Amino acid sequence: MRLLLVDDESEFLTLVTRRMARRGVLVTTAESGRQALDLLEHGTFDAVVLDVRMPGMDGIETLRRLKERFPDLAVILLTGHADTASAFTGMELGAFDYMIKPVAFDELFAKIRDAARCSTRN
């Protein structure tokens, strides 16, 4: 499984990448929405995990642009507990699902696996 993990928190990226690698997931990371969109143009992914709150281009704008170019790619949004309105907006824009931070790793892995199965950009 190929995952694009997008978050501006480098510690989160490192932790999740290590844990996903132990489960055989190939993870590419991006620290911004712009970087994620660039990576999507040059790589193939089964799913994207996208943080909503990032400086510059936030997750909602990134999702909007991503879905214009790759409408069938499954995207899971990560949002803080006080930001459920953004999660609902993301669902309206075509996100596969959303999860609230902090997220349990096993739940995140299961959701990514489900999203990858639904994605047609393999």
Side-chain angles (χ1 to χ4, degrees):
M1 185 173 13
R2 297 155 303 191
L3 174 68
L4 178 58
L5 180 62
V6 187
D7 198 301
D8 63 315
E9 296 176 27
S10 59
E11 290 177 18
F12 178 79
L13 292 174
T14 300
L15 176 66
V16 173
T17 297
R18 285 183 185 155
R19 295 195 69 186
M20 288 291 168
R22 287 187 213 136
R23 296 199 181 190
V25 178
L26 299 173
V27 179
T28 301
T29 62
E31 293 187 8
S32 70
R34 172 57 43 213
Q35 185 182 17
L37 293 172
D38 290 344
L39 288 167
L40 284 163
E41 289 295 332
H42 296 70
T44 302
F45 300 94
D46 300 305
V48 176
V49 173
L50 176 61
D51 188 27
V52 170
R53 295 239 181 223
M54 295 184 293
M57 185 188 312
D58 69 9
I60 297 300
E61 182 58 27
T62 303
L63 175 66
R64 182 177 284 112
R65 293 181 188 194
L66 183 157
K67 285 296 186 174
E68 287 173 2
R69 181 75 175 94
F70 310 104
D72 298 324
L73 182 59
V75 178
I76 299 165
L77 293 175
L78 292 181
T79 183
H81 61 33
D83 195 26
T84 54
S86 291
F88 291 119
T89 299
M91 296 299 289
E92 290 175 350
L93 291 172
F96 176 78
D97 208 344
Y98 72 94
M99 300 184 82
I100 298 174
K101 282 183 173 182
V103 61
F105 179 79
D106 288 337
E107 291 176 34
L108 178 61
F109 178 74
K111 189 69 70 177
I112 291 167
R113 190 179 55 228
D114 291 345
R117 287 182 186 143
C118 292
S119 183
T120 59
R121 186 164 192 250
N122 302 4

